[in-house]
Amino acid sequence: MRVGYFDCFSGVSGDMTLGALVDAGVDGRAIIEAVGGLGLPGELSFETVRRGGFRATHARVKTEEEHAHRHWRNIEALIDKSALTASQKDLSRQIFLKLGEAEARVHGIPLERIHFHEVGAVDSIIDIVGSAVGLDLLGVDRFECSAVPPGRGFVRAEHGRMPLPAPATAEILKGVPLAESHVEMEMTTPTGAAIVTTVAERFGPLPAMTVESIGLGAGTREVPGQANVLRLFVGVLACSAGADRVFMLETNLDDIPGEVVGYTTVKLLEAGALDVFTTPIQMKKNRPGVMISVLCDEARIPAMEDILFRETTTLGVRRFPVSRHKLNRKAVDVETEFGAIRGKLGWLENRPPTFSPEYDDCARVAAERDVPLREVFDAAHAAYARASADHPTRDH
């Protein structure tokens, strides 16, 4: 399994992410072309610089001064009408949505009323969309990330002087392990925090891996006594193909309504659980109950347990590591008579892959076209079968 690991020893920002992706091997011209298609008054370029004595790639964005603030709907429309691929559009939306939801919680207003301020500026849009394109083009199966140093001291924003981490950054980094900050500056920006928390499946030390390339993305400032760079390691996990370790959390409940159980499972999945399921059980004194089981990465255990303790009446949660053996997986799009449908391929080495259409895509198309859901599923499977017959070696 190919993995990308963000080493954020000096924090993370949008321009650092862009620089690290290009330095790790992503074609910078493809990113420049993609963001150029947005039609914004800004220009992206990449240059080689030195930070703390080390060579790195710096993403430079030149823009005209703007006074307009953009809302979520403006940014969403900009992404939707672009020429980005479906996966790049989806990732761009996810990153912006994470930012918007954090701002909405911080200010206590609905997402639709949020002015994106600095995040809605041209340079930030280019940073986010360009990073989404680069992350997609890097071609890894998963991303992981180190603990994140937010910085210390104060930063001046539109609402005045604020202690670090900035409110939106702190909101985004909830549930993420933070590293000690040795520098009096903003080391992690809201944009950088949104990018890594959107894509990273695990936060922790560098995994056992065979490194293929290392990208260094330069921050804008020189930092005394420290190289102000983001490192991106790209390589292959050293564990056996398709194997990893996650954690199972379990709790038994017999005194809450079923509606609360359902609501809790939704919140767990929204918070990043890999899977959540319930099992009917017989508890002491012959009381019927339910067991909630949560599968998650180790870094997300605190967030999962917080939800279980907050939303249910449980007095304790069991946790234990479990090993998994997974199929190799790859996201693919197929063209059907109903339009493009996203799906996943799964395969073991030397065996033909299986194709599974994404339910959300199929359900959306079924509702929009007023056709049975099974017809959309059948059309997606047929489209994949035709594509495989035309290109029998392209699957994996």
Side-chain angles (χ1 to χ4, degrees), residues 336-340 362-372 376:
T336 75
E337 59 264 39
F338 303 113
C362 293
R364 173 184 54 79
V365 169
E368 290 175 352
R369 299 298 187 93
D370 193 26
V371 297
V376 182

Side-chain angles (χ1 to χ4, degrees), residues 71-261:
H71 291 83
W72 162 244
R73 65 176 180 274
N74 304 129
I75 293 175
E76 189 176 32
L78 182 70
I79 294 170
D80 286 342
K81 71 179 182 181
S82 72
L84 304 176
T85 67
S87 59
Q88 292 165 2
K89 288 180 180 180
D90 185 57
L91 183 53
S92 298
R93 288 191 210 97
Q94 289 181 48
I95 297 170
F96 270 113
L97 187 60
K98 186 173 286 285
L99 277 167
E101 289 175 340
E103 292 280 3
R105 285 192 292 270
V106 166
H107 296 293
I109 61 177
L111 173 65
E112 293 75 19
R113 290 177 53 198
I114 283 292
H115 289 285
F116 273 78
H117 304 311
E118 293 93 345
V119 175
V122 170
D123 56 345
S124 295
I125 295 175
I126 290 175
D127 280 347
I128 291 173
V129 174
S131 293
V133 173
L135 291 163
D136 179 63
L137 295 178
L138 189 62
V140 301
D141 300 299
R142 64 180 277 149
F143 287 97
E144 299 186 8
C145 186
S146 68
V148 180
R152 66 183 185 185
F154 291 82
V155 65
R156 184 163 296 279
E158 185 176 28
H159 300 287
R161 188 169 178 261
M162 295 293 297
L164 293 172
T169 305
E171 184 70 29
I172 293 168
L173 292 177
K174 287 195 303 188
V176 172
L178 302 182
E180 183 179 1
S181 301
H182 300 284
V183 182
E184 292 277 344
M185 62 175 283
E186 183 180 37
M187 300 181 71
T188 295
T189 66
T191 298
I195 292 171
V196 295
T197 56
T198 297
V199 300
E201 298 183 31
R202 184 188 74 92
F203 287 84
L206 182 71
M209 62 186 292
T210 301
V211 177
E212 298 173 347
S213 64
I214 304 173
L216 273 68
T220 302
R221 297 171 54 182
E222 276 280 9
V223 178
Q226 181 170 315
N228 187 22
V229 297
L230 169 69
R231 290 199 298 179
L232 173 59
F233 292 86
V234 181
V236 180
L237 289 179
C239 61
S240 60
D244 68 355
R245 189 186 80 153
V246 294
F247 275 76
M248 181 71 77
L249 311 182
E250 294 179 348
T251 187
N252 297 349
L253 305 166
D254 66 354
D255 56 352
I256 62 173
E259 292 88 347
V260 175
V261 174

Side-chain angles (χ1 to χ4, degrees), residues 286-318:
N286 292 322
R287 290 197 299 258
V290 61
M291 179 172 67
I292 299 180
S293 301
V294 185
L295 198 66
C296 68
D297 292 318
E298 185 173 5
R300 296 193 184 272
I301 290 176
M304 300 297 111
E305 291 184 345
D306 179 66
I307 292 172
L308 289 170
F309 285 124
R310 184 183 70 237
E311 300 295 345
T312 75
T313 56
T314 185
L315 297 176
V317 177
R318 300 182 297 276

